[in-house]
Amino acid sequence: MGKYNKNDVVWGLVTGIENYGIFVSLGDNCSGLIHISEISDFFVRNINDYVELNETIKVKIIDV
């Protein structure tokens, strides 16, 4: 994870969707979890309303 820093905004590939969040691959064997509470400022009932599997999304790294 040396090339990624806190508050970086990068593109990632959605590799998994669970009830509690989204798994995202950043490449270079780096991946992360976007918890359901971090997806939107509003209540998220269904994560599938926000992303699809294999979709490329912009993510902000909030911790390393």
Side-chain angles (χ1 to χ4, degrees):
M1 288 288 292
K3 77 181 234 179
Y4 299 106
N5 298 302
K6 189 174 179 178
N7 294 320
D8 284 353
V9 177
V10 297
W11 289 96
L13 178 69
V14 176
T15 58
I17 301 173
E18 298 293 335
N19 292 335
Y20 52 85
I22 303 166
F23 288 95
V24 178
S25 172
L26 302 178
D28 301 331
N29 292 322
C30 294
S31 61
L33 170 69
I34 303 172
H35 189 265
I36 190 170
S37 65
E38 300 291 340
I39 294 172
S40 172
D41 290 333
F42 303 101
F43 180 76
V44 175
R45 183 174 307 276
N46 185 350
I47 294 174
N48 293 296
D49 292 339
Y50 291 84
V51 297
E52 294 180 5
L53 197 58
N54 296 317
E55 180 179 358
T56 300
I57 60 172
K58 192 181 285 189
V59 298
K60 181 176 182 179
I61 298 173
I62 59 173
D63 201 0
V64 177

